[in-house]
Amino acid sequence: MSKLQRRKFIKISAGAGIAALWGSLLEKALAVEAYNVSRSINDVQHIVILMQENRSFDHYFGAMRGVRGFGDRFPIPLESGRRMFDQSDGKRIITPYRANGKKTNAALINGTPHDFQDTQAAWNQGKYGFWPLFKTPYSMAYYTREEIPYQYAMAEAFTISDAYHCSIATGTDPNRIMFWSGSNFNPEKRAAGINCTDEDSEPVNLRCWITGTMPEPGYTYRGNAFKWPTIPDVLQDAGISWRIYQDPNDNWTGAMHGCLAFESFRNAKKGSPIYENGMRHWSINDLANDVKNNKLPQVSWVLPSQINSEHPSAPSSPYRASDFTHHVLAAITSNPEVWSKTVFFLTFDENDGLFDHLPAPAVPSYNIDGSLAGKSTLKLDGMYFNNDKGTSVFPYNLGKPNNTRIYQDKRDTISGNIRPWGLGPRVPMYIISPWSKGGWIHSEIADHTSVAQFIEKRFGVIVPAISPWHRAISSDLTSAFDFENPNDPKFPSLPDTSNFEILDEKSKKLPKATAPEKPSKLFQEKGSRFSRALAYRLHCSIKYLRNEKQVQLIFENKGSKGAVYHVYNMHRLDMIPRRYTVEAGKSLQDEWNVSENKGSYELEVYGPNGYFQKFSGNINKNEPTVAPEYDSGKGGIYISINNNTGVKLKAEILSNAYSYAKKEIISIEPGKNIKLYRNLEPSGNWYDFSVKMKSGFLHRFAGRVETGKHSVSDPAMAMEI
């Protein structure tokens, strides 16, 4: 750290009054230059992790400028004929609605159902449509920056991920177990291709909910213990220092502590490293002292109490939780030398039942006939929950066997008893560090294994429970940082959080934030944000198989990161959408029968960071082949149109956004090819073009051309609402 920056840090730290200090916390954190000796991830000496409770991304940030929120121009189609934001409670359409802090008890919104069975039913294997039916209408509530100014301030000072998903489509324990170990189902059985039952997996809350107190008489546990190594076990074996800062008697009865499901923690004895670092009382004051004395472990976790957990409904609230977060941030930024070498991850275990519109990347679902709705270049055996026997152990009967199938809602009949584990809905992820400041958006698909992969990347360890599928699809988060040139002189202000009790009490006097009788209009702030470069280079093309009366889609991944394609057949929206996992450098293909529609087809393809393609036409008509090609060097795109028919074709090239030439009419002679180039620099390399014919042929393609350089988020986001 330079002397100038150090003086600025000390000056800010010495501000008059507690409120003044809180109001300058982000300025203080941003004033510290990043440790930049190796200009790599090796400059990170400390990782601090806080996982809060039960908020979805759309609920917190769907209205924020620049993120993939309520202004998403490509929401997935529903069987009803509507689009994703028009959810139904079975009687009426309920769209996302603002929990207005001035008019309603927005701070203490109702909690919603969030177990495996209701999440599976609401997800509907990718069809969605009835989120309020299974999650209650409260699930559609969201905040704006007026309701959660502190959360917005953190996101806009540092980096927010708008593609971070919870790992499992269910509740707290399964996701925290995943977060602390890399899996919530037995990795040995997964590797052997065996789908786990509840005997060797955690579909709902059970194993972390303890009775008893520490140190005496100690915890009493529910359910059998898992035996694979946790991340703390891995770090301990590798000689990497670690600690869990918590009150073991105020951690929501153990629920915040995912390691309590594991044998190594349950059997830990006093004096052992696992017990001393992972079971004892280590307070936020201890964290602050460790930072001030330069004794902060290399990896640390912070566990909230129930009241500070940010969980919807009383006793927690975004106001109270922001104050808790503020104290954690104050502790880890209290020593500028330590903070200059520290990464702070703040995320949420799951979404509660709160709505998120983005289709979750997941392994393919099973159709009701037992066929797989999609494909993968990776082996998928073992990646599913096996509820076939219909027996279960549930936390509320104290672990006693129950011979009824409680993991499947009786109305959820679209698939059988073999269900994908995840990923689940998006949750917020703040990436706060001297290497990630400046208000960036990170849009690489990530989940709870991503934090573990970042730890692996930094300290050279292996977390063995992480599946090959998660490694292929989920980011290691390194692309969210600038380790080469991190130091940025921006100093946004941070709202005061000390009045959280006043705000909570004021909110309690207002009526509940209920869904309005008429659907609300969608809202999102307009404008772009700085956006990190991503590793995606995805290509999907179509081929007519006239003899077989089929169309074939070819999914290619020419990037350096795996991806999931989602395909919705607009002629059969009653069917489960197909999903395709394609590893980096690989490809897949699949076919759709078009005989039922006399050769007509209409397919929509979705991928990460706004990737979208629409294919519509008829194999019995004279139609061209359209192939968009990326110019990754300059950030442009080639539009190649080939006429392999025997007649002259006339087509329109339409620009659907970004102020490019709106329409161009072209004629293509039989057997000829036309290749047009579009410079995408004015739109930050974003594109949205269509090739259209009067016959009904339409090929639309949209997304961002990746050049390896940072860019901006989608400039067209929210322009249509």
Side-chain angles (χ1 to χ4, degrees), residues 238-266:
I240 307 298
S241 61
W242 64 276
R243 179 162 292 162
I244 298 174
Y245 293 89
Q246 62 157 337
D247 181 345
N249 298 314
D250 191 12
N251 57 7
W252 206 331
T253 323
M256 302 297 93
H257 195 335
C259 293
L260 297 183
F262 291 86
E263 188 175 76
S264 61
F265 275 73
R266 292 184 176 189

Side-chain angles (χ1 to χ4, degrees), residues 628-653:
E629 302 171 15
Y630 305 141
D631 177 5
S632 297
K634 297 181 179 179
I637 194 169
Y638 294 94
I639 304 172
S640 179
I641 307 172
N642 184 42
N643 181 2
N644 53 11
T645 74
V647 299
K648 184 178 180 179
L649 298 178
K650 188 176 182 180
E652 294 179 344
I653 301 176

Side-chain angles (χ1 to χ4, degrees), residues 170-316:
T170 179
T172 290
D173 281 12
N175 278 288
R176 287 183 178 261
I177 289 169
M178 191 94 182
F179 190 62
W180 256 280
S181 76
S183 182
N184 81 312
F185 50 99
N186 189 316
E188 290 185 0
K189 287 194 172 182
R190 181 205 70 228
I194 301 171
N195 293 323
C196 290
T197 67
D198 58 7
E199 177 67 19
D200 37 38
S201 68
E202 182 91 343
V204 297
N205 293 344
L206 172 63
R207 290 172 173 86
C208 299
W209 290 80
I210 52 85
T211 56
T213 57
M214 297 294 284
E216 299 295 339
Y219 288 157
T220 298
Y221 300 98
R222 299 174 180 178
N224 59 308
F226 295 143
K227 297 183 179 180
W228 62 88
T230 65
I231 297 173
D233 290 315
V234 170
L235 296 176
Q236 187 64 41
D237 289 345
I240 307 298
S241 61
W242 64 276
R243 179 162 292 162
I244 298 174
Y245 293 89
Q246 62 157 337
D247 181 345
N249 298 314
D250 191 12
N251 57 7
W252 206 331
T253 323
M256 302 297 93
H257 195 335
C259 293
L260 297 183
F262 291 86
E263 188 175 76
S264 61
F265 275 73
R266 292 184 176 189
N267 294 340
K269 304 300 182 184
K270 291 182 181 179
S272 69
I274 294 295
Y275 186 95
E276 295 302 318
N277 289 309
M279 303 290 278
R280 277 189 52 199
H281 187 171
W282 295 97
S283 68
I284 300 302
N285 286 336
D286 291 324
L287 172 64
N289 287 331
D290 286 345
V291 171
K292 290 176 182 176
N293 296 320
N294 204 12
K295 294 182 179 180
L296 182 67
Q298 290 164 286
V299 181
S300 305
W301 291 266
V302 178
L303 304 191
S305 63
Q306 180 176 352
I307 200 168
N308 289 321
S309 68
E310 218 152 334
H311 196 288
S313 71
S316 194

Side-chain angles (χ1 to χ4, degrees), residues 74 612 614 626 639 641 651-657 662-664 687-693 697-702:
F74 302 107
F612 174 78
K614 184 180 182 72
V626 179
I639 304 172
I641 307 172
E652 294 179 344
I653 301 176
L654 303 174
S655 174
N656 302 304
K662 294 299 181 184
K663 181 188 295 188
E664 182 176 350
Y687 62 91
D688 181 1
F689 296 103
S690 297
V691 177
K692 184 178 180 182
M693 292 177 58
F697 173 86
L698 173 68
H699 184 168
R700 185 176 181 179
F701 41 99

Side-chain angles (χ1 to χ4, degrees), residues 152 173 175 179 259 298 334 357 369 375 514 530 533 601 632:
Y152 267 65
D173 281 12
N175 278 288
F179 190 62
C259 293
Q298 290 164 286
S334 60
H357 82 277
D369 63 4
K375 295 181 179 180
T514 56
F530 293 129
Y601 63 89
S632 297

